Amino acid sequence: MSRKRHIDPPAASIDPEDSREVAPAERSGEQAWQAALRPQSFDQYIGQRDLIDNLKVSVRAARENGWALDHFLFAGPPGLGKTTLAHVIANEMGVNLHVSSGPAIDHKGMLASLLTSLGEGDALFIDEIHRLAPVVEENLYPAMEDFRFDLFIGEGPHAKAVTMQLPRFTLLGATTRMGLLSAPLLDRFGFCWQLRYYEQADMIAIVKRSAALTKVTIDQDGAVEIARRSRGTPRIANRLLRRVRDFAAVERDGVIDGDIAASSLDRLAVDHAGLDMLDRAYLSVICERFDGGPVGIEAVAASLSEERGTLEEVVEPFLLQVGLIARTPRGRVATAAGYQHMGLAAPSKAPSGGQGPQGRLF
Ligand code: ADE
């Protein structure tokens, strides 16, 4: 197996270089901040315990027997750690990680160049794998199955089929939309896992770890407040920690406690359950413009001038998880908890939705 080295993603890729050479606080930009806080090993990884335990077994079996690791697929809303897991797995295997994404591999030649640049045992991470072009996806099948790539050289009647043998590699796929993946692609993964929103105790631990790494002083109440408003999503927690750090630095002595965390997050329009302006606008449209639903996603998207995909992939999964909305065959409906969250009286037709955000997730 080739020695571990991070491979630069192609220009259209989504992932930044993950480097720890400069202290996180001195690096600029949200992506650099997030990358610097990323755990590097299973031991540093907080939460998703059952997944991590399964991965540890597979990685150990592969390492101890000299096997290439099987192809794995991770699904779930943005920010739950799909990219992070790819880095951790490659680190733990001691192999190179090549990073790309479905939209970046826009033709067969691009896939050929990615696959032929892999070394023996390397891992290839394809984010947003549900957005691969059909012709690219079809050419991925023999690569995943037999480590083979079929090429045609020349054109017309003189074209010749050439089969290239690829090194054994591990494909790590990530998607926010498992339902959009074709059955043949799904069948070629040895393991598909739906990531869950993180438990509150894990979120608190992640906020404390990130604060320690960035040399931000935070007390228990401050960590609890940021964790509570982060929608069970580490990427959001790390982003909010950075914003609250700014308020604490300017308006206090730099220390984050419960008060400064709560007042900063209020001012950033992140409410006590972690809903931001778009979440509340979405709920308000269903409750007030569409009388609680059922309403189709296209109508909600048009009312908000938002992309349907953003609502389906980013906004709805959390609102469904915490019971503020429900899906019915005729469309989305606001639950009684959803009305209550917006400070509105629920009509009798509204489904209960459980106890709302506090009851469901935390
Ligand atoms: N930072 C972002 N995600 C994390 C996780 N799952 N564990 C530790 N630190 C993190």
Side-chain angles (χ1 to χ4, degrees), residues 306-333:
E306 260 305 333
E307 291 283 327
R308 170 187 177 152
T310 305
L311 300 182
E312 285 180 321
E313 288 165 36
V314 182
V315 174
E316 292 188 331
F318 183 73
L319 299 180
L320 282 163
Q321 163 80 29
V322 297
L324 296 181
I325 59 165
R327 263 202 197 137
T328 73
R330 293 173 50 228
R332 279 70 173 161
V333 294

PDB file of all heavy atoms in Angstrom, residues 306-333:
ATOM      1  N   GLU A 306     -36.791  29.700  -2.792  1.00  0.00           N
ATOM      2  CA  GLU A 306     -35.652  28.830  -2.434  1.00  0.00           C
ATOM      3  C   GLU A 306     -35.624  27.640  -3.371  1.00  0.00           C
ATOM      4  O   GLU A 306     -36.647  27.281  -3.948  1.00  0.00           O
ATOM      5  CB  GLU A 306     -35.826  28.300  -1.008  1.00  0.00           C
ATOM      6  CG  GLU A 306     -35.048  29.003   0.075  1.00  0.00           C
ATOM      7  CD  GLU A 306     -33.550  29.090  -0.152  1.00  0.00           C
ATOM      8  OE1 GLU A 306     -32.997  28.218  -0.847  1.00  0.00           O
ATOM      9  OE2 GLU A 306     -32.941  30.041   0.352  1.00  0.00           O
ATOM     10  N   GLU A 307     -34.455  27.007  -3.470  1.00  0.00           N
ATOM     11  CA  GLU A 307     -34.345  25.766  -4.233  1.00  0.00           C
ATOM     12  C   GLU A 307     -35.067  24.656  -3.485  1.00  0.00           C
ATOM     13  O   GLU A 307     -34.886  24.512  -2.267  1.00  0.00           O
ATOM     14  CB  GLU A 307     -32.871  25.353  -4.331  1.00  0.00           C
ATOM     15  CG  GLU A 307     -32.020  26.242  -5.193  1.00  0.00           C
ATOM     16  CD  GLU A 307     -32.250  25.968  -6.670  1.00  0.00           C
ATOM     17  OE1 GLU A 307     -32.520  24.807  -7.013  1.00  0.00           O
ATOM     18  OE2 GLU A 307     -32.189  26.935  -7.446  1.00  0.00           O
ATOM     19  N   ARG A 308     -35.819  23.863  -4.216  1.00  0.00           N
ATOM     20  CA  ARG A 308     -36.475  22.694  -3.609  1.00  0.00           C
ATOM     21  C   ARG A 308     -35.440  21.778  -2.928  1.00  0.00           C
ATOM     22  O   ARG A 308     -35.651  21.277  -1.826  1.00  0.00           O
ATOM     23  CB  ARG A 308     -37.206  21.944  -4.737  1.00  0.00           C
ATOM     24  CG  ARG A 308     -37.717  20.620  -4.319  1.00  0.00           C
ATOM     25  CD  ARG A 308     -38.266  19.836  -5.476  1.00  0.00           C
ATOM     26  NE  ARG A 308     -38.677  18.539  -4.967  1.00  0.00           N
ATOM     27  CZ  ARG A 308     -39.629  17.800  -5.497  1.00  0.00           C
ATOM     28  NH1 ARG A 308     -40.257  18.203  -6.561  1.00  0.00           N
ATOM     29  NH2 ARG A 308     -39.937  16.644  -4.956  1.00  0.00           N
ATOM     30  N   GLY A 309     -34.293  21.579  -3.604  1.00  0.00           N
ATOM     31  CA  GLY A 309     -33.247  20.685  -3.076  1.00  0.00           C
ATOM     32  C   GLY A 309     -32.731  21.158  -1.720  1.00  0.00           C
ATOM     33  O   GLY A 309     -32.461  20.349  -0.828  1.00  0.00           O
ATOM     34  N   THR A 310     -32.569  22.475  -1.567  1.00  0.00           N
ATOM     35  CA  THR A 310     -32.080  23.011  -0.287  1.00  0.00           C
ATOM     36  C   THR A 310     -33.081  22.683   0.813  1.00  0.00           C
ATOM     37  O   THR A 310     -32.707  22.280   1.922  1.00  0.00           O
ATOM     38  CB  THR A 310     -31.899  24.542  -0.371  1.00  0.00           C
ATOM     39  OG1 THR A 310     -31.052  24.824  -1.467  1.00  0.00           O
ATOM     40  CG2 THR A 310     -31.336  25.124   0.910  1.00  0.00           C
ATOM     41  N   LEU A 311     -34.361  22.852   0.504  1.00  0.00           N
ATOM     42  CA  LEU A 311     -35.386  22.563   1.515  1.00  0.00           C
ATOM     43  C   LEU A 311     -35.373  21.068   1.867  1.00  0.00           C
ATOM     44  O   LEU A 311     -35.415  20.691   3.036  1.00  0.00           O
ATOM     45  CB  LEU A 311     -36.768  22.983   1.028  1.00  0.00           C
ATOM     46  CG  LEU A 311     -36.924  24.481   0.701  1.00  0.00           C
ATOM     47  CD1 LEU A 311     -38.354  24.774   0.276  1.00  0.00           C
ATOM     48  CD2 LEU A 311     -36.539  25.354   1.901  1.00  0.00           C
ATOM     49  N   GLU A 312     -35.266  20.228   0.817  1.00  0.00           N
ATOM     50  CA  GLU A 312     -35.333  18.779   1.063  1.00  0.00           C
ATOM     51  C   GLU A 312     -34.089  18.241   1.769  1.00  0.00           C
ATOM     52  O   GLU A 312     -34.182  17.312   2.558  1.00  0.00           O
ATOM     53  CB  GLU A 312     -35.513  18.039  -0.267  1.00  0.00           C
ATOM     54  CG  GLU A 312     -36.910  18.175  -0.805  1.00  0.00           C
ATOM     55  CD  GLU A 312     -37.085  17.433  -2.120  1.00  0.00           C
ATOM     56  OE1 GLU A 312     -36.149  17.463  -2.946  1.00  0.00           O
ATOM     57  OE2 GLU A 312     -38.145  16.839  -2.332  1.00  0.00           O
ATOM     58  N   GLU A 313     -32.927  18.805   1.436  1.00  0.00           N
ATOM     59  CA  GLU A 313     -31.690  18.232   1.964  1.00  0.00           C
ATOM     60  C   GLU A 313     -31.222  18.900   3.245  1.00  0.00           C
ATOM     61  O   GLU A 313     -30.558  18.284   4.058  1.00  0.00           O
ATOM     62  CB  GLU A 313     -30.573  18.344   0.919  1.00  0.00           C
ATOM     63  CG  GLU A 313     -30.777  17.400  -0.237  1.00  0.00           C
ATOM     64  CD  GLU A 313     -29.899  17.732  -1.440  1.00  0.00           C
ATOM     65  OE1 GLU A 313     -28.752  18.152  -1.230  1.00  0.00           O
ATOM     66  OE2 GLU A 313     -30.384  17.573  -2.570  1.00  0.00           O
ATOM     67  N   VAL A 314     -31.535  20.192   3.409  1.00  0.00           N
ATOM     68  CA  VAL A 314     -30.956  20.941   4.528  1.00  0.00           C
ATOM     69  C   VAL A 314     -32.005  21.274   5.595  1.00  0.00           C
ATOM     70  O   VAL A 314     -31.759  21.106   6.781  1.00  0.00           O
ATOM     71  CB  VAL A 314     -30.279  22.239   4.016  1.00  0.00           C
ATOM     72  CG1 VAL A 314     -29.635  22.999   5.159  1.00  0.00           C
ATOM     73  CG2 VAL A 314     -29.254  21.925   2.935  1.00  0.00           C
ATOM     74  N   VAL A 315     -33.161  21.762   5.156  1.00  0.00           N
ATOM     75  CA  VAL A 315     -34.143  22.277   6.118  1.00  0.00           C
ATOM     76  C   VAL A 315     -35.027  21.159   6.685  1.00  0.00           C
ATOM     77  O   VAL A 315     -35.159  21.010   7.907  1.00  0.00           O
ATOM     78  CB  VAL A 315     -35.019  23.375   5.448  1.00  0.00           C
ATOM     79  CG1 VAL A 315     -36.135  23.824   6.382  1.00  0.00           C
ATOM     80  CG2 VAL A 315     -34.147  24.562   5.046  1.00  0.00           C
ATOM     81  N   GLU A 316     -35.608  20.369   5.797  1.00  0.00           N
ATOM     82  CA  GLU A 316     -36.626  19.426   6.264  1.00  0.00           C
ATOM     83  C   GLU A 316     -36.133  18.291   7.164  1.00  0.00           C
ATOM     84  O   GLU A 316     -36.847  17.925   8.109  1.00  0.00           O
ATOM     85  CB  GLU A 316     -37.364  18.820   5.062  1.00  0.00           C
ATOM     86  CG  GLU A 316     -38.203  19.848   4.349  1.00  0.00           C
ATOM     87  CD  GLU A 316     -39.094  19.252   3.283  1.00  0.00           C
ATOM     88  OE1 GLU A 316     -38.720  18.212   2.706  1.00  0.00           O
ATOM     89  OE2 GLU A 316     -40.159  19.825   3.030  1.00  0.00           O
ATOM     90  N   PRO A 317     -34.948  17.710   6.899  1.00  0.00           N
ATOM     91  CA  PRO A 317     -34.581  16.549   7.726  1.00  0.00           C
ATOM     92  C   PRO A 317     -34.596  16.862   9.227  1.00  0.00           C
ATOM     93  O   PRO A 317     -35.071  16.062  10.029  1.00  0.00           O
ATOM     94  CB  PRO A 317     -33.162  16.201   7.249  1.00  0.00           C
ATOM     95  CG  PRO A 317     -33.106  16.706   5.844  1.00  0.00           C
ATOM     96  CD  PRO A 317     -33.955  17.958   5.838  1.00  0.00           C
ATOM     97  N   PHE A 318     -34.111  18.038   9.611  1.00  0.00           N
ATOM     98  CA  PHE A 318     -34.088  18.357  11.037  1.00  0.00           C
ATOM     99  C   PHE A 318     -35.489  18.647  11.569  1.00  0.00           C
ATOM    100  O   PHE A 318     -35.873  18.190  12.651  1.00  0.00           O
ATOM    101  CB  PHE A 318     -33.169  19.561  11.301  1.00  0.00           C
ATOM    102  CG  PHE A 318     -33.054  19.891  12.773  1.00  0.00           C
ATOM    103  CD1 PHE A 318     -32.324  19.075  13.624  1.00  0.00           C
ATOM    104  CD2 PHE A 318     -33.705  20.992  13.310  1.00  0.00           C
ATOM    105  CE1 PHE A 318     -32.234  19.354  14.989  1.00  0.00           C
ATOM    106  CE2 PHE A 318     -33.620  21.286  14.668  1.00  0.00           C
ATOM    107  CZ  PHE A 318     -32.878  20.455  15.508  1.00  0.00           C
ATOM    108  N   LEU A 319     -36.291  19.383  10.792  1.00  0.00           N
ATOM    109  CA  LEU A 319     -37.649  19.704  11.260  1.00  0.00           C
ATOM    110  C   LEU A 319     -38.484  18.427  11.399  1.00  0.00           C
ATOM    111  O   LEU A 319     -39.305  18.307  12.315  1.00  0.00           O
ATOM    112  CB  LEU A 319     -38.323  20.704  10.313  1.00  0.00           C
ATOM    113  CG  LEU A 319     -37.614  22.063  10.173  1.00  0.00           C
ATOM    114  CD1 LEU A 319     -38.385  22.975   9.216  1.00  0.00           C
ATOM    115  CD2 LEU A 319     -37.456  22.750  11.533  1.00  0.00           C
ATOM    116  N   LEU A 320     -38.248  17.470  10.508  1.00  0.00           N
ATOM    117  CA  LEU A 320     -38.940  16.169  10.623  1.00  0.00           C
ATOM    118  C   LEU A 320     -38.444  15.421  11.852  1.00  0.00           C
ATOM    119  O   LEU A 320     -39.224  14.868  12.631  1.00  0.00           O
ATOM    120  CB  LEU A 320     -38.644  15.311   9.385  1.00  0.00           C
ATOM    121  CG  LEU A 320     -39.418  15.653   8.113  1.00  0.00           C
ATOM    122  CD1 LEU A 320     -38.744  15.018   6.894  1.00  0.00           C
ATOM    123  CD2 LEU A 320     -40.866  15.170   8.222  1.00  0.00           C
ATOM    124  N   GLN A 321     -37.123  15.431  12.026  1.00  0.00           N
ATOM    125  CA  GLN A 321     -36.508  14.696  13.144  1.00  0.00           C
ATOM    126  C   GLN A 321     -37.053  15.168  14.491  1.00  0.00           C
ATOM    127  O   GLN A 321     -37.326  14.372  15.380  1.00  0.00           O
ATOM    128  CB  GLN A 321     -34.994  14.901  13.073  1.00  0.00           C
ATOM    129  CG  GLN A 321     -34.229  14.576  14.345  1.00  0.00           C
ATOM    130  CD  GLN A 321     -33.996  13.087  14.514  1.00  0.00           C
ATOM    131  OE1 GLN A 321     -33.897  12.368  13.534  1.00  0.00           O
ATOM    132  NE2 GLN A 321     -33.929  12.630  15.745  1.00  0.00           N
ATOM    133  N   VAL A 322     -37.196  16.484  14.634  1.00  0.00           N
ATOM    134  CA  VAL A 322     -37.642  17.004  15.928  1.00  0.00           C
ATOM    135  C   VAL A 322     -39.160  17.163  15.991  1.00  0.00           C
ATOM    136  O   VAL A 322     -39.692  17.670  16.974  1.00  0.00           O
ATOM    137  CB  VAL A 322     -36.933  18.332  16.308  1.00  0.00           C
ATOM    138  CG1 VAL A 322     -35.439  18.100  16.468  1.00  0.00           C
ATOM    139  CG2 VAL A 322     -37.203  19.421  15.282  1.00  0.00           C
ATOM    140  N   GLY A 323     -39.859  16.748  14.952  1.00  0.00           N
ATOM    141  CA  GLY A 323     -41.319  16.672  15.017  1.00  0.00           C
ATOM    142  C   GLY A 323     -42.037  17.993  14.826  1.00  0.00           C
ATOM    143  O   GLY A 323     -43.178  18.140  15.253  1.00  0.00           O
ATOM    144  N   LEU A 324     -41.390  18.974  14.159  1.00  0.00           N
ATOM    145  CA  LEU A 324     -42.083  20.248  13.923  1.00  0.00           C
ATOM    146  C   LEU A 324     -42.918  20.201  12.650  1.00  0.00           C
ATOM    147  O   LEU A 324     -43.855  20.982  12.483  1.00  0.00           O
ATOM    148  CB  LEU A 324     -41.073  21.402  13.852  1.00  0.00           C
ATOM    149  CG  LEU A 324     -40.308  21.668  15.153  1.00  0.00           C
ATOM    150  CD1 LEU A 324     -39.344  22.833  14.986  1.00  0.00           C
ATOM    151  CD2 LEU A 324     -41.254  21.946  16.321  1.00  0.00           C
ATOM    152  N   ILE A 325     -42.551  19.300  11.742  1.00  0.00           N
ATOM    153  CA  ILE A 325     -43.375  19.049  10.552  1.00  0.00           C
ATOM    154  C   ILE A 325     -43.529  17.542  10.407  1.00  0.00           C
ATOM    155  O   ILE A 325     -42.808  16.767  11.055  1.00  0.00           O
ATOM    156  CB  ILE A 325     -42.752  19.622   9.249  1.00  0.00           C
ATOM    157  CG1 ILE A 325     -41.368  19.003   8.989  1.00  0.00           C
ATOM    158  CG2 ILE A 325     -42.675  21.128   9.282  1.00  0.00           C
ATOM    159  CD1 ILE A 325     -40.856  19.246   7.561  1.00  0.00           C
ATOM    160  N   ALA A 326     -44.458  17.146   9.530  1.00  0.00           N
ATOM    161  CA  ALA A 326     -44.608  15.730   9.204  1.00  0.00           C
ATOM    162  C   ALA A 326     -44.825  15.639   7.705  1.00  0.00           C
ATOM    163  O   ALA A 326     -45.235  16.617   7.064  1.00  0.00           O
ATOM    164  CB  ALA A 326     -45.791  15.128   9.963  1.00  0.00           C
ATOM    165  N   ARG A 327     -44.515  14.481   7.145  1.00  0.00           N
ATOM    166  CA  ARG A 327     -44.762  14.248   5.715  1.00  0.00           C
ATOM    167  C   ARG A 327     -45.949  13.339   5.570  1.00  0.00           C
ATOM    168  O   ARG A 327     -46.030  12.326   6.253  1.00  0.00           O
ATOM    169  CB  ARG A 327     -43.552  13.556   5.096  1.00  0.00           C
ATOM    170  CG  ARG A 327     -42.629  14.507   4.436  1.00  0.00           C
ATOM    171  CD  ARG A 327     -41.800  13.760   3.415  1.00  0.00           C
ATOM    172  NE  ARG A 327     -40.656  14.592   3.083  1.00  0.00           N
ATOM    173  CZ  ARG A 327     -39.429  14.145   2.954  1.00  0.00           C
ATOM    174  NH1 ARG A 327     -39.175  12.876   3.108  1.00  0.00           N
ATOM    175  NH2 ARG A 327     -38.471  14.965   2.656  1.00  0.00           N
ATOM    176  N   THR A 328     -46.862  13.706   4.700  1.00  0.00           N
ATOM    177  CA  THR A 328     -48.006  12.836   4.415  1.00  0.00           C
ATOM    178  C   THR A 328     -48.022  12.588   2.905  1.00  0.00           C
ATOM    179  O   THR A 328     -47.318  13.289   2.169  1.00  0.00           O
ATOM    180  CB  THR A 328     -49.334  13.519   4.824  1.00  0.00           C
ATOM    181  OG1 THR A 328     -49.602  14.562   3.861  1.00  0.00           O
ATOM    182  CG2 THR A 328     -49.290  14.100   6.222  1.00  0.00           C
ATOM    183  N   PRO A 329     -48.807  11.622   2.441  1.00  0.00           N
ATOM    184  CA  PRO A 329     -48.846  11.378   0.989  1.00  0.00           C
ATOM    185  C   PRO A 329     -49.278  12.620   0.218  1.00  0.00           C
ATOM    186  O   PRO A 329     -48.950  12.791  -0.952  1.00  0.00           O
ATOM    187  CB  PRO A 329     -49.883  10.256   0.848  1.00  0.00           C
ATOM    188  CG  PRO A 329     -49.932   9.602   2.193  1.00  0.00           C
ATOM    189  CD  PRO A 329     -49.623  10.668   3.197  1.00  0.00           C
ATOM    190  N   ARG A 330     -50.010  13.539   0.857  1.00  0.00           N
ATOM    191  CA  ARG A 330     -50.506  14.727   0.140  1.00  0.00           C
ATOM    192  C   ARG A 330     -49.613  15.952   0.326  1.00  0.00           C
ATOM    193  O   ARG A 330     -49.919  17.019  -0.194  1.00  0.00           O
ATOM    194  CB  ARG A 330     -51.945  15.020   0.568  1.00  0.00           C
ATOM    195  CG  ARG A 330     -52.887  13.891   0.080  1.00  0.00           C
ATOM    196  CD  ARG A 330     -54.286  14.025   0.608  1.00  0.00           C
ATOM    197  NE  ARG A 330     -54.836  15.349   0.402  1.00  0.00           N
ATOM    198  CZ  ARG A 330     -55.456  16.049   1.348  1.00  0.00           C
ATOM    199  NH1 ARG A 330     -55.600  15.543   2.562  1.00  0.00           N
ATOM    200  NH2 ARG A 330     -55.941  17.232   1.081  1.00  0.00           N
ATOM    201  N   GLY A 331     -48.508  15.796   1.071  1.00  0.00           N
ATOM    202  CA  GLY A 331     -47.592  16.928   1.228  1.00  0.00           C
ATOM    203  C   GLY A 331     -47.154  17.120   2.664  1.00  0.00           C
ATOM    204  O   GLY A 331     -47.457  16.317   3.544  1.00  0.00           O
ATOM    205  N   ARG A 332     -46.459  18.232   2.891  1.00  0.00           N
ATOM    206  CA  ARG A 332     -45.935  18.529   4.233  1.00  0.00           C
ATOM    207  C   ARG A 332     -47.022  19.170   5.088  1.00  0.00           C
ATOM    208  O   ARG A 332     -47.793  19.988   4.584  1.00  0.00           O
ATOM    209  CB  ARG A 332     -44.773  19.521   4.143  1.00  0.00           C
ATOM    210  CG  ARG A 332     -43.464  18.912   3.774  1.00  0.00           C
ATOM    211  CD  ARG A 332     -43.414  18.452   2.356  1.00  0.00           C
ATOM    212  NE  ARG A 332     -42.070  18.028   1.990  1.00  0.00           N
ATOM    213  CZ  ARG A 332     -41.807  17.253   0.959  1.00  0.00           C
ATOM    214  NH1 ARG A 332     -42.749  16.790   0.185  1.00  0.00           N
ATOM    215  NH2 ARG A 332     -40.568  16.925   0.686  1.00  0.00           N
ATOM    216  N   VAL A 333     -47.021  18.821   6.397  1.00  0.00           N
ATOM    217  CA  VAL A 333     -47.942  19.482   7.329  1.00  0.00           C
ATOM    218  C   VAL A 333     -47.159  19.979   8.535  1.00  0.00           C
ATOM    219  O   VAL A 333     -46.148  19.382   8.915  1.00  0.00           O
ATOM    220  CB  VAL A 333     -49.069  18.523   7.818  1.00  0.00           C
ATOM    221  CG1 VAL A 333     -49.992  18.124   6.682  1.00  0.00           C
ATOM    222  CG2 VAL A 333     -48.509  17.293   8.500  1.00  0.00           C
TER     223      VAL A 333
END
